[in-house]
Amino acid sequence: MPTIGKRTAQRLALYLVKASQDEVAALVDAIVKMKQSVRFCSECGALTEQEVCSICTDPRRDHSVICVVEEPGNVMRIESTGEYRGLYHVLHGRLSPLDGIGPEDLALDRLKKRIKDLGITEVIIATNPNVEGEATSNYIAQTLKPLGVKITGIATGVPIGSDLDLADEITLARAIKGRGEIK
Amino acid sequence: MPTIGKRTAQRLALYLVKASQDEVAALVDAIVKMKQSVRFCSECGALTEQEVCSICTDPRRDHSVICVVEEPGNVMRIESTGEYRGLYHVLHGRLSPLDGIGPEDLALDRLKKRIKDLGITEVIIATNPNVEGEATSNYIAQTLKPLGVKITGIATGVPIGSDLDLADEITLARAIKGRGEIK
């Protein structure tokens, strides 16, 4: 399991051995219930306990913008910023030739259908800014271009609160290249 | 001294105690020579062994763009990216009210004079993307605005090679806000 190494696993196991029968039963129950109730939204692919998630059904959100992310966790991360008020589309993966994940595995037909059905005007591609994420971003941009929708990508650059000296060279080069006018 | 804590200091001291007389003399000599020969460029304020640094005197560089940084080390950092071919201006500081560093300490008159004398068309402000750096950036932008020169800032956003889940919320919010069109 992610973030749980040998030492942490051992610590957790010993904790459970010491815990009361009730506590262990409650944990098992919670895991089973979670697994039964949480599913992927049939619209966007994010996590939900309903058929369609609360973001897709929220009339106060902007239904003309869609943000494409790799995993359901990314939706929660972007939601926590409070900066974005549109819809999402979760790919549940990224192009990864080494792992045998090709374009056909990304199920872009469903994304294309949503863009047409919802009358989307802007697609924000928010895949991870690494090699596989950027390849995925490029592929999606090329695929969606014929639809005539505006396609944007989240900004890459030096993180806020950081220091130029801490930024790696590629990030710094991109930050200089992607500089914006200060009004 | 920066990055040298108690343990490192002890390790270095013990190394020097064990080192030969010649080695220690060579180190002392190198430090003295460095201190005598390295100075700040009278034009841009970067480190140099001449009166004017090799960047300011290089005719192959773009003498119409100037990049404003806080410290000489930032010049080396940006040079290492190979992305930038213009000139620099080192502030040797940043606005820091808590440390008593105000606008008058940034010596912007010299920057203004250089912009006029060199016929600069773009000023790239590359102060650190933290509170003090951004305050400094805003102040410089306001100060230079009357000169009618184009003022840009380096891009802030998610670092390259990183993961959305690793970005802090403020950076991610900025990355969404600062998104750019994919052509």
Side-chain angles (χ1 to χ4, degrees):
Chain A
M1 290 163 97
T3 80
I4 300 188
K6 199 176 164 187
R7 277 163 56 97
T8 306
Q10 205 174 49
R11 209 173 289 156
L12 293 175
L14 289 172
Y15 169 83
L16 290 177
V17 167
K18 274 196 186 171
S20 74
Q21 206 64 254
D22 286 356
E23 281 179 293
V24 174
L27 173 66
V28 169
D29 194 46
I31 293 174
V32 170
K33 273 203 184 119
M34 185 272 290
K35 184 64 192 163
Q36 282 171 342
S37 64
V38 177
R39 66 184 84 181
F40 298 131
C41 170
S42 62
E43 273 293 308
C44 72
L47 297 179
T48 177
E49 297 194 3
Q50 267 76 50
E51 170 70 19
V52 177
C53 76
S54 59
I55 294 175
C56 283
T57 53
D58 187 343
R60 290 163 305 178
R61 295 192 71 112
D62 184 350
H63 283 236
S64 68
V65 186
I66 216 163
C67 180
V68 179
V69 297
E70 294 180 15
E71 297 295 343
N74 300 143
V75 173
M76 299 181 204
R77 201 84 194 88
I78 294 176
E79 281 300 288
S80 71
T81 68
E83 180 64 37
Y84 179 66
R85 297 296 303 157
L87 304 177
Y88 290 94
H89 190 89
V90 183
L91 297 171
H92 289 282
R94 67 208 65 88
L95 291 185
S96 179
L98 289 178
D99 299 327
I101 302 174
E104 63 285 359
D105 297 301
L106 294 181
L108 291 185
D109 287 342
R110 203 160 56 79
L111 174 59
K112 281 195 218 166
K113 189 174 180 312
R114 288 186 73 203
I115 291 171
K116 282 179 198 154
D117 291 353
L118 292 163
I120 296 291
T121 55
E122 180 181 357
V123 177
I124 303 172
I125 304 179
T127 52
N128 287 319
N130 50 34
V131 176
E132 294 181 346
E134 300 227 317
T136 307
S137 169
N138 286 335
Y139 175 74
I140 295 173
Q142 295 312 316
T143 306
L144 299 183
K145 198 149 285 176
L147 300 182
V149 67
K150 181 180 178 185
I151 302 163
T152 57
I154 59 167
T156 50
V158 186
I160 306 289
S162 174
D163 201 286
L164 286 200
D165 289 348
L166 298 176
D168 63 284
E169 287 160 22
I170 301 173
T171 296
L172 194 49
R174 196 72 81 89
I176 296 168
K177 216 171 179 174
R179 65 186 181 268
E181 194 156 355
I182 300 175
K183 306 276 178 195
Chain B
M1 291 164 96
T3 80
I4 300 188
K6 199 175 161 187
R7 278 163 56 97
T8 306
Q10 203 173 52
R11 209 173 288 154
L12 292 175
L14 289 172
Y15 170 82
L16 290 177
V17 168
K18 274 196 186 170
S20 73
Q21 208 61 257
D22 286 356
E23 279 180 292
V24 175
L27 173 64
V28 169
D29 194 45
I31 293 175
V32 170
K33 274 204 183 120
M34 185 273 290
K35 184 66 192 159
Q36 282 170 343
S37 62
V38 176
R39 65 183 86 181
F40 298 132
C41 170
S42 62
E43 273 292 309
C44 72
L47 297 178
T48 177
E49 296 193 2
Q50 266 79 50
E51 170 68 19
V52 178
C53 77
S54 58
I55 294 174
C56 284
T57 54
D58 188 343
R60 287 163 307 177
R61 294 192 74 112
D62 184 349
H63 284 237
S64 69
V65 186
I66 217 164
C67 179
V68 179
V69 296
E70 295 180 15
E71 299 294 342
N74 299 143
V75 172
M76 298 181 204
R77 202 82 194 90
I78 295 177
E79 281 299 288
S80 72
T81 69
E83 182 64 37
Y84 180 66
R85 297 298 300 157
L87 304 177
Y88 290 94
H89 190 88
V90 183
L91 297 171
H92 290 283
R94 66 208 66 87
L95 290 186
S96 180
L98 288 178
D99 298 328
I101 302 174
E104 64 284 358
D105 297 302
L106 294 180
L108 292 184
D109 287 342
R110 203 159 58 79
L111 174 58
K112 282 194 215 165
K113 190 176 179 310
R114 289 185 73 202
I115 291 171
K116 284 179 197 153
D117 291 354
L118 291 164
I120 296 293
T121 56
E122 180 182 358
V123 177
I124 303 171
I125 304 180
T127 52
N128 287 320
N130 51 34
V131 177
E132 296 182 342
E134 299 227 318
T136 307
S137 168
N138 287 334
Y139 175 75
I140 295 173
Q142 295 312 315
T143 307
L144 299 184
K145 199 150 283 178
L147 298 182
V149 66
K150 182 180 179 186
I151 302 164
T152 56
I154 58 166
T156 50
V158 186
I160 306 287
S162 173
D163 200 288
L164 286 201
D165 289 347
L166 298 177
D168 62 286
E169 286 160 21
I170 303 173
T171 296
L172 194 50
R174 197 74 82 89
I176 294 167
K177 214 170 183 176
R179 65 186 182 269
E181 194 157 354
I182 300 175
K183 307 274 177 192

